Structure formats: C-alpha cells, structure tokens
Amino acid sequence: MMALLAFSPILLTIVLMVVFNWPATKALPLALLNAILVAFFAWDMSTQNVFGYTLFGFLKAFDILIIIFGAILILNTLKLSGAMATINDGFNGISSDRRVQAIIIGFMFGGFIEGAAGFGTPAALAGPLLVGLGFPPLAAALVALIFNSVPVPFGAVGTPIFGAMSTLESNLASTGVEGDALMQALTQWIAIPNAIAGIFIPLLGIIILTRIFGKEKSFKPALAVLPFAIFAGVSFMIPYVIIGIIFGPELPSLVGALIGLGVVVVAAKKGFLVPKTPWDFPEESKWPAIWKSTSDTGNVGKAEMSLLKAWSPYVLIAIILVVTRIPAFGLKELLTAQQLTLTNVGGIEGLDYVLLWAYLPGTIPFILVALITQWYHKMPVKEIKESWTLTFGQIKGAAIALFAGVGLVQLMLNSNNNPHEMVSMLTTMAESAAGLSGAAYPLFATLIGMLGSFMSGSATVSNILFMSFQFETATILGLPQILILAMQGIGAGIGNMVCVNNIVAVAATVGCLGAEGYIIRANAVPAFFYYLLITLIVGGMIIVGFNPFPI
C-alpha cells in the first residue's frame, strides 16, 4: 500500500501527460499537490518539512531555468544576427541529408557538450540548432533527447560517477575494497556494455525520426542510412571505451565524442557511407500543428556572414566549457567559489540552497557568449532588445513546470524526514520493486536507474538516490555488485530520453511547450529498446556467472 502511495505522484504524471496529453505546466503542479497530500497523511511529515523541501525544490529549479534561458538567448541571438542561416547553409554543404545532420549535431556534437557540461545542456543546445537547420521543432526535441543518453553516464566530466561514489563509500567500509578501485571498475563496466548498445543508438534515433516525421512514415529511409549510422556509433564508442578504461570517468564522453565528431564530419564531406539520395522532411506547409513552434522564436536572418564567424559562438561555448570543467585548468575552482547561499530554507536546520551562478552553463558560457556575440556580430540595438524580449517570453511556460517538477522530486526525496523513521517515497518504490523481483532483479536494475532520472532530470541524482540501494540489494541476492551498479549507471543515462525536466527544457528552447506528453510517448519506444539491449548484455553476463570485480 505504501509503495502504491509513493508511486502515485509519478503514476499521475504519466497518466495525465501520456494518456491524456496534458502539458507539463498542468500535470506537474497537480502531481506536486498529490505528493504533498501523501507526505502529510501517509508519511506524516510536518508542515514545516513539507513546505521547506518543496520550497528548496523551487529554488533548485532556478539552476535549470538559468540554463534554459541562456540556451534560448543564444538561439535567438544567432537567429536574429543571421548566423543561424549561415550555419544552415554550412551544414547543407557537408550534407543536405537530414539523417546525417541529426547524427552529426544530435549524437556527436551533443555528446561532446554532454561530456563537458551535462545537466540537460546538450539537448538544450542541439535541439535549437537542429531547428535552425530546418527541422520541425518537435522532431528536433525528440532526436536531441534520444541521442542525449549514451554519453550521460560520464557527462559533466564524470559527475554522475563521482555522485555514485559519494553514496557507495559507506557500503565499502566493511569490504576492504578501495574507493578508487571500485570507481575504475564501475567506469569500465559501464563503458563496455553501454558502448555495445551505443553503437546502435544513432540508427535507433533515425528510425524514430523517419517513422514519425518522414513523408513515407516508414523505417526504410532509416535503413538506407544504416551503414553511416553504425559507422558514427563506432567512431564515438571505440575511443569512449578506451579512454574510460585507461583514464577513468572524466573524459570518455568528452573526448570520445570530439574524436568521433571529427571522423564523422570528414566522412560525411567525402560522402563515405552516406546515402546517394538525400532525405528531407515534408514541406513546412504540410507539417501538423504539433510539429511546429507554439511561440515566437524570432526570424532567421540572411546568410551574410562567414561560416567561421557564424560558428564562433558555439566554438567559444565549447572552449569555455572544456576549460571551466576540467580541474587541471584551474578555472573550475574559481567559478564554483562564486556562490549565493540561502541557509536553513523553510526554517529547516542545515537545508541550504547554494546557487553556483558563475559555474552554471546558463551564465558562463551561454549568457556571456550571447553578449559577446551581440557585439561581435554587430547586431543593432533593436535586434539585441528583441532577442532578450523573445527569450523572457519563451521562458515563462517552462518556469511553472520546472518549479512543480523539481519541487515534487525534492519532497519525495526528503520524505524520510518524518517522525516514524520511514524511508523516502523514492526508496520505498525501489525496495518494493526489489522485493517483488527476487532473483529476477537484473530485469529491474536498469529500470530503477531510469526511474531516478525520469523524476529528477539528472543521472547524478539518480545515482545518488539508488546506487547504494542497488549495491545492498545485489549483495543480499548474491548478484555481482559491479554489474548491477553498471546497470544503474547506464539506466540513469537512458532515463534522460523521457525525463520530464529535460523534456520541458528542450520543449521550451525549441518552442513546442504543450507537446511534452507526446514526446514521452514517442521516446518511450527507443528508451525501451535501449533498456532491452542493456538487460540482454549485462543480464547475459550475470546468467553465465561472470563477475569481473568480486567484492
């Protein structure tokens, strides 16, 4: 009964958004109300705790809103300056094939940004860029989210793994295993099975793209690009695995995607494995309303500047992300030291909100680069003003959904603060799944990781929530802990495809707010196939008794 009550806010969200196609702006506030009622009457939380943790969630939503604001501002700036028109022409120069463009921008460029910044940044950048190239906004949102999965376990220079290790330290106390050894083993056994599955993700994304948005509504155009898609997957995944095994969790996605991007762009320019007949969307006049932007995102100017000048903002963003995320450069420590702190939120002792305003990608580099671009591209004051006005207008819809969504997560996460010492709602759900599964637990390990990301919008948070629980469950059931932990880490990445907060963020940046339920339904298909691949690969290892890191 308690597990059902704990699951009710998530179930309500799924039903309203997926079945009834409610927008997140309506579904998530109602789900939050549901969680508040469960917290009061089932978990017996005090009014102060319910209010305080919900308010803490509202404050945490600002972090995401700043990222979204910066991403939208970059998009609007590039549109109004004419840079996006030049970028569009440039990609048509590499390949006019939308399938190839989606792989280069969504999978390769997005993977690089995930490796550098994480936290929803890749889809928020790649989605609008695809729109600028001529993709329907809904198509751009779908494919950007599908592709923002493979690099996620090592995103933001390994942050999800470091988050996992922060919770696993207590589990290791009585085992004699060193934390560094476990972290390296975890990195290796996330990288290997994820790379095997990841080779097929570019093809999977293109299958969804052509089936939903093609004139033919068919898989055939996707199969025509199969050789190039597999080649792209291999180009990313081989360095991804090698770097993970040798150097650890910080660089597999960052460097692997950068190497793959260079290889795939050269191949596309030379026509290597690229289909002879380019594929495109139907004419815009034939697009259904749900494909289109529901907000004014500004007009794309004429292609009147050089390709280098047009791309310079993205190049600058990539450079800034790299030098500010890798500790060796020294800027990460400087930026993270710039904090705004609100202590004892809601009167709860020790509950402090810290806004790392200088370290958030929304400010540095997004807003900073937008300001530089407005000067460098010599935009008139009228266009600069329009870019900011449009951005503030577009952010309104996302704000409501994000405040409710993040508030919901924080309340469920901290519902263990009750007078009866009950575990949190999220832990209750996970424990119930483990108790019901028994020896079949490997079928659920990846799903639990996906659930954490679905609700929190973060693979790091998913790992913090469930990595320790997965370790304990594997130990009790006599399963190889390292493989179960790997399934958790990979599942946390898969969950980004259908994560509510990321969907709201991408929908806001491309202008298709209100279509979140459709996006969840569509992306549930590739997420399910990804889950099956990982379960078959890692589950197969467990069935044959393979345990690469006995604990």
Side-chain angles (χ1 to χ4, degrees):
M1 181 63 182
M2 296 304 291
L4 183 61
L5 287 172
F7 190 64
S8 62
I10 299 175
L11 181 62
L12 181 63
T13 301
I14 294 171
V15 170
L16 292 178
M17 294 182 67
V18 177
V19 179
F20 294 101
N21 205 31
W22 278 34
T25 50
K26 293 182 178 180
L28 287 176
L30 199 58
L32 173 60
L33 177 60
N34 184 343
I36 289 173
L37 293 175
V38 172
F40 269 129
F41 297 109
W43 262 253
D44 200 22
M45 292 179 68
S46 67
T47 301
Q48 183 182 50
N49 280 347
V50 170
F51 170 75
Y53 289 116
T54 304
L55 176 60
F56 184 72
F58 291 168
L59 293 171
K60 293 292 290 183
F62 275 112
D63 295 24
I64 305 170
L65 281 172
I66 291 171
I67 295 173
I68 298 172
F69 183 89
I72 296 176
L73 182 62
I74 284 287
L75 173 66
N76 288 332
T77 298
L78 295 181
K79 279 186 172 182
L80 293 168
S81 73
M84 195 58 72
T86 301
I87 291 172
N88 183 41
D89 285 355
F91 268 103
N92 286 329
I94 296 174
S95 174
S96 60
D97 195 313
R98 301 301 189 186
R99 297 165 297 186
V100 175
Q101 292 175 349
I103 290 171
I104 291 174
I105 294 296
F107 189 64
M108 293 300 184
F109 180 70
F112 169 75
I113 297 300
E114 173 64 39
F119 300 100
T121 307
L125 272 179
L129 184 54
L130 290 170
V131 171
L133 294 173
F135 282 57
L138 184 63
L142 281 174
V143 78
L145 286 164
I146 291 169
F147 289 153
N148 186 33
S149 53
V150 177
V152 169
F154 303 120
V157 286
T159 301
I161 303 299
F162 295 123
M165 293 307 302
S166 70
T167 68
L168 288 170
E169 289 177 356
S170 59
N171 299 97
L172 297 177
S174 60
T175 65
V177 175
E178 294 184 359
D180 288 346
L182 178 65
M183 183 171 71
Q184 188 56 39
L186 181 58
T187 299
Q188 178 177 339
W189 290 103
I190 284 177
I192 292 172
N194 199 38
I196 296 171
I199 290 172
F200 302 99
I201 298 305
L203 176 63
L204 191 58
I206 300 303
I207 286 174
I208 298 299
L209 188 69
T210 60
R211 179 65 180 84
I212 296 177
F213 300 97
K215 301 172 187 177
E216 316 87 344
K217 305 292 183 184
S218 170
F219 302 133
K220 289 183 179 179
L223 297 179
V225 81
L226 183 151
F228 184 83
I230 297 297
F231 171 74
V234 171
S235 298
F236 186 172
M237 292 298 99
I238 288 178
Y240 177 92
V241 170
I242 293 172
I243 292 165
I245 292 173
I246 296 174
F247 296 106
E250 293 181 307
L251 299 176
S253 296
L254 180 70
V255 179
L258 186 61
I259 293 171
L261 179 63
V263 171
V264 170
V265 166
V266 171
K269 282 185 175 181
K270 294 183 178 295
F272 179 68
L273 299 178
V274 175
K276 293 181 179 179
T277 304
W279 180 86
D280 204 347
F281 302 101
E283 296 178 6
E284 187 171 349
S285 61
K286 297 180 180 179
W287 293 357
I290 196 171
W291 290 16
K292 301 177 182 179
S293 174
T294 56
S295 60
D296 181 9
T297 57
N299 299 316
V300 179
K302 296 180 180 180
E304 296 177 341
M305 66 177 68
S306 70
L307 194 58
L308 178 61
K309 187 174 183 179
W311 265 104
S312 59
Y314 282 115
V315 173
L316 186 57
I317 285 172
I319 292 171
I320 292 174
L321 284 173
V322 171
V323 299
T324 57
R325 266 53 189 175
I326 297 178
F329 288 105
L331 290 175
K332 180 176 181 177
E333 184 178 355
L334 175 64
L335 293 180
T336 53
Q338 312 307 311
Q339 302 178 359
L340 294 176
T341 303
L342 181 62
T343 59
N344 300 331
V345 174
I348 299 176
E349 186 70 27
L351 184 62
D352 301 336
Y353 168 68
V354 180
L355 176 64
L356 302 177
W357 63 270
Y359 189 67
L360 283 175
T363 48
I364 299 174
F366 292 171
I367 293 176
L368 174 62
V369 171
L371 293 172
I372 294 172
T373 301
Q374 289 166 358
W375 163 78
Y376 180 53
H377 287 182
K378 299 179 180 179
M379 293 175 63
V381 174
K382 181 181 178 181
E383 289 184 356
I384 294 175
K385 182 179 179 181
E386 185 179 356
S387 69
W388 285 85
T389 301
L390 283 170
T391 303
F392 277 111
Q394 290 167 249
I395 202 72
K396 291 178 182 177
I400 296 172
L402 285 171
F403 282 138
V406 182
L408 167 68
V409 170
Q410 289 297 326
L411 179 57
M412 294 182 71
L413 171 62
N414 291 285
S415 53
N416 60 312
N417 291 284
N418 59 74
H420 308 297
E421 297 185 353
M422 297 167 60
V423 297
S424 71
M425 297 182 203
L426 288 176
T427 302
T428 298
M429 289 186 287
E431 289 179 343
S432 176
L436 292 172
S437 65
Y441 184 74
L443 294 174
F444 298 92
T446 305
L447 288 174
I448 291 172
M450 293 169 65
L451 173 65
S453 292
F454 174 80
M455 286 305 299
S456 70
S458 168
T460 301
V461 173
S462 179
N463 286 348
I464 290 171
L465 285 174
F466 296 131
M467 197 64 86
S468 181
F469 163 75
Q470 299 258 31
F471 184 98
E472 293 294 339
T473 305
T475 302
I476 292 169
L477 296 174
L479 298 170
Q481 294 99 327
I482 198 68
L483 296 181
I484 295 296
L485 295 181
M487 296 175 88
Q488 159 65 38
I490 298 170
I494 299 172
N496 273 253
M497 288 190 188
V498 290
C499 154
V500 175
N501 288 348
N502 283 0
I503 287 173
V504 172
V506 176
T509 59
V510 301
C512 59
L513 281 170
E516 296 92 349
Y518 183 94
I519 295 172
I520 291 177
R521 289 196 300 274
N523 279 9
V525 175
F528 177 71
F529 278 102
Y530 199 163
Y531 154 76
L532 283 181
L533 280 171
I534 294 302
T535 302
L536 286 171
I537 294 167
V538 184
M541 295 178 184
I542 294 173
I543 288 173
V544 299
F546 180 63
N547 186 357
F549 192 78
I551 299 175

